[in-house]
Amino acid sequence: MKSIGSRITLWYAITLTATLATLFIAGHYLLERYLVRQLDELNENQFKHLRAVLGQDYASLTPAVIDERIREATESASSMFYTDMHGPMTNRFFRSSNLHGQSIPDIVGQNIYSISVDGVGEVRVGEFLLRPFDVMVATPLAPVRDLMAGYRRVFFGLLLLALVLALLIGYGLSELFLRPVRVIQETANRIRSDNLTERIPVGNVKDEMSQLAAFLNQMFDRLENAFSEIRRFSAEASHELKTPLSLMQLHAERLLGDDTLTEAQRDSVMVQLEEIGRVNHIIDELLFLSRADAGAVLIELAQQSPAAFLGAFAQDANALAEYDGKHFVWTHTGEGSVSIDGKRIRQVLLNLLTNALKVTPLDSGVSMDSTLVDDRWRISIVDEGPGLTTEQCERMFERFVRFGNAAGGDTRGAGLGLPISRSIVKMHKGRIWATSRDVGRGLRVVIELPATQRA
Ligand SMILES: Nc1ncnc2c1ncn2[C@@H]1O[C@H](COP(=O)(O)OP(=O)(O)OP(=O)(O)O)[C@@H](O)[C@H]1O
Ligand SMILES: [Mg+2]
């Protein structure tokens, strides 16, 4: 069970119901024992009554007289007691008429017991010695059993009620206990790298919860410090790197204007300029990523028609593909508009397109399919390159990840295009993933964006 609240509720309900059930079971046992004892006492009293009726000289009476005397004294109460009296040789002296000819079974070695008699039902038997006779007096157990059955019905009803009540109370209690936790959770959830100044409200009561909130707030203080350190570092580092790079670029460009340079020297300067351009680009991308991580990159959402947006992109895509000696085709289905930051999504599509063009063989093509259904805009870019394994498809969105591909191609990328694309897609609350179209043939990269959203 995932939530503490439901666990508290459940444990509370179990404990309460189990306690009640134990009490009820104990009550059941004690009550039943008490009632059966009462029956035993009744049996004993009835025996005493019989003994009195028989008188002192009972041993010398004939069976007929005994029968007559007992019958006179007991038949009035015959519905309540069963009497069975026999002599030493099981010759019967008296058997009450309500036994309907049955005798009460004798359990050897026991003189108080419960037993079932055919045609009579369950009875409680008391066996008494009245030498030379053996007198058995029995009372029906049915009233006790009925009472206990009623007790059980009430008990189960009450137990069910108790369970429902315990669940309700448990739920209420858990809500009460967990309210501070919820407040902490909500606030902590709101506190992100872009709003590190918010703090969890700490109550006046000094309990474990307020202590926890205070500790978390201290942690947020430290995090805020660390984050501003990192941001300052990134900004300063890029500044520190960019200035010398610009100077290097400036000097290299000035050198190019020098007529005395040999061809080889000129080539070398050109290479330097190219590398400087690359490093500049990487620094810009890294800066973008660290700012995006810090939540400092804002996206400007605007309603766009996907068909028009992709149409404009396709013009550039066609030109790029043609330049590489490859084709580009695209389709779109679905009506409606999408709310996106056009410049950034274009950047993502360009990243994906350049990756796809890099691996697609000459005279082959890259295709882009877009669908807008149910408020989801999905664009997939499919190439005809060598594709990637499932594991590579997961890893390719990580920073600086590049796979030397069999098709050769331009392996000089920084491995930052896809991480940037992913962070832009995330800013749009969308997803990006890749699957190999067929094992070892072509890659399909899919972007899925919610069509409508707030900035
Ligand atoms: N369509 C594709 N087919 C096969 N491999 C791909 C494809 N797209 C990307 N990759 C692999 O994923 C790696 C990472 O791609 P990513 O775009 O992040 O970096 P890059 O293209 O190497 O460099 P950058 O985009 O920063 O210039 C690539 O180096 C390449 O090995
Ligand atoms: Mg790339």
Side-chain angles (χ1 to χ4, degrees), residues 351 354-355 358 416-418:
N351 273 338
T354 28
N355 284 350
K358 265 190 229 169
L416 289 173
L418 288 176

Side-chain angles (χ1 to χ4, degrees), residues 278 281-282 285 351-352 354-360 381 383 385-388 392 395-405 410-421 442-445:
R278 260 169 56 78
H281 187 65
I282 293 175
E285 287 186 323
N351 273 338
L352 300 184
T354 28
N355 284 350
L357 286 176
K358 265 190 229 169
V359 292
T360 295
I381 292 196
D383 64 53
L388 292 173
Q392 286 175 322
R395 279 198 52 223
M396 69 193 273
F397 293 97
E398 288 167 20
R399 274 165 216 195
F400 298 114
V401 168
R402 281 159 298 172
F403 309 109
N405 56 50
D410 180 9
T411 49
R412 310 228 320 131
L416 289 173
L418 288 176
I420 286 179
S421 303
L443 193 79
R444 172 192 294 271
V445 184

Side-chain angles (χ1 to χ4, degrees), residues 7 40 48 60 92 129 151 155 207 221-222 225 246 254 260-261 283 325 341 344 350-351 370 396-397 455:
R7 260 178 294 178
D40 291 340
K48 283 180 186 156
S60 57
R92 197 149 265 102
L129 269 180
Y151 178 95
F155 153 55
D207 57 8
D221 289 344
R222 289 196 294 272
N225 282 340
S246 311
R254 200 179 288 160
T260 59
L261 285 188
I283 288 178
D341 184 330
R344 300 237 187 257
L350 267 179
N351 273 338
S370 139
M396 69 193 273
F397 293 97

Side-chain angles (χ1 to χ4, degrees), residues 143 169 245 273 348:
I169 296 174
L245 269 177
L273 271 174
V348 174

